[in-house]
Amino acid sequence: ESRQDAGRAKKKTAVLVESTSIYYIAVNEKIKYLIETGRKPSAMQFYKDALAQAVSDFKTKAWQDDILRRLKRREKHYQMLGETVPELTNIDERFSGETKKLGDLRGKVVLLDFWATWCGPCIAAFPSLIELNRKFEKDGLVILGVTRFYGEAEGAQVTEAAELEFLRQFKKANDLPYDFVVGKDLSTNLSFGVSALPTTVIIDRRGIVRYAETGAGKESEINNTIEKLLAEK
């Protein structure tokens, strides 16, 4: 249980130095570890306990609010991890001319990249996604870019039809070899706990969510997760 021991030590250090960032990392890592090792009920109980404990560990309200905000933003991801992936909902079929269903991708490792054309960090991640597709598509990796209607393109208000055409040209201009799905509303984002962009969700061959993270700069852990899940049969 060395990871748990390290987590406890990190949490104590966080309280001593009054760092909500270190505290959040320690709690987050322990919850993920418990889920990874088949102890989901314990993980969710630890999450609930951590919300209460953080209030007593940090005396300053601003710090309490910060750690609670960070943890609560992760709640949906904790709930999803280790569970069957929810289906994509209210997807516009006009983009590719067909309905994309995650249920049809059992037996594949699926990476969902939640992004938007106006999101700089999302666009900066394209080279790594293109490389992942090149390296692992033959082994069973499927990447799906997930975006939605925002009613604009390059800063101008547009119709849905014009936005779909803009997305098609955007895909072509950026040489993106994987498919997109376009949500008609926020329903898919909400069901996947997308509170910010980019958000990455990785699903194993059995349709179980094994990775869910928000933010850029996670290329190494995404690559490692995909390699691990592709090796599972």
Side-chain angles (χ1 to χ4, degrees), residues 40-79:
K40 182 72 175 281
S42 296
M44 296 313 294
Q45 186 58 54
F46 180 77
Y47 168 69
K48 289 176 184 174
D49 293 343
L51 292 176
Q53 185 68 36
V55 175
S56 59
D57 282 343
F58 292 97
K59 305 306 178 189
T60 305
K61 187 173 187 307
W63 294 338
Q64 293 172 1
D65 291 346
D66 182 56
I67 189 64
L68 292 177
R69 176 186 57 79
R70 291 180 188 222
L71 288 171
K72 286 177 179 176
R73 282 180 65 180
R74 287 285 280 158
E75 183 172 8
K76 186 66 179 176
H77 290 166
Y78 297 148
Q79 291 169 348

Side-chain angles (χ1 to χ4, degrees), residues 198-218:
T199 288
T200 304
V201 175
I202 305 176
I203 306 144
D204 70 16
R205 296 182 190 274
R206 298 171 299 137
I208 305 299
V209 178
R210 300 287 291 277
Y211 179 95
E213 295 285 344
T214 292
K218 303 181 189 298

Side-chain angles (χ1 to χ4, degrees), residues 175-206:
D175 293 320
L176 298 176
Y178 50 85
D179 287 335
F180 291 173
V181 292
V182 184
K184 296 177 184 177
D185 56 25
L186 274 166
S187 58
T188 288
N189 286 40
L190 292 172
S191 65
F192 281 86
V194 178
S195 58
L197 299 174
T199 288
T200 304
V201 175
I202 305 176
I203 306 144
D204 70 16
R205 296 182 190 274
R206 298 171 299 137

Side-chain angles (χ1 to χ4, degrees), residues 103-123:
D104 295 336
L105 296 174
R106 294 290 189 272
K108 303 284 189 180
V109 172
V110 181
L111 184 154
L112 300 179
D113 172 46
F114 289 85
W115 72 288
T117 58
W118 46 260
C119 167
C122 301
I123 293 168

Side-chain angles (χ1 to χ4, degrees), residues 203-231:
I203 306 144
D204 70 16
R205 296 182 190 274
R206 298 171 299 137
I208 305 299
V209 178
R210 300 287 291 277
Y211 179 95
E213 295 285 344
T214 292
K218 303 181 189 298
E219 290 84 2
S220 178
E221 61 185 52
I222 288 170
N223 187 88
N224 292 341
T225 299
I226 287 169
E227 287 188 336
K228 174 185 166 186
L229 298 187
L230 286 172

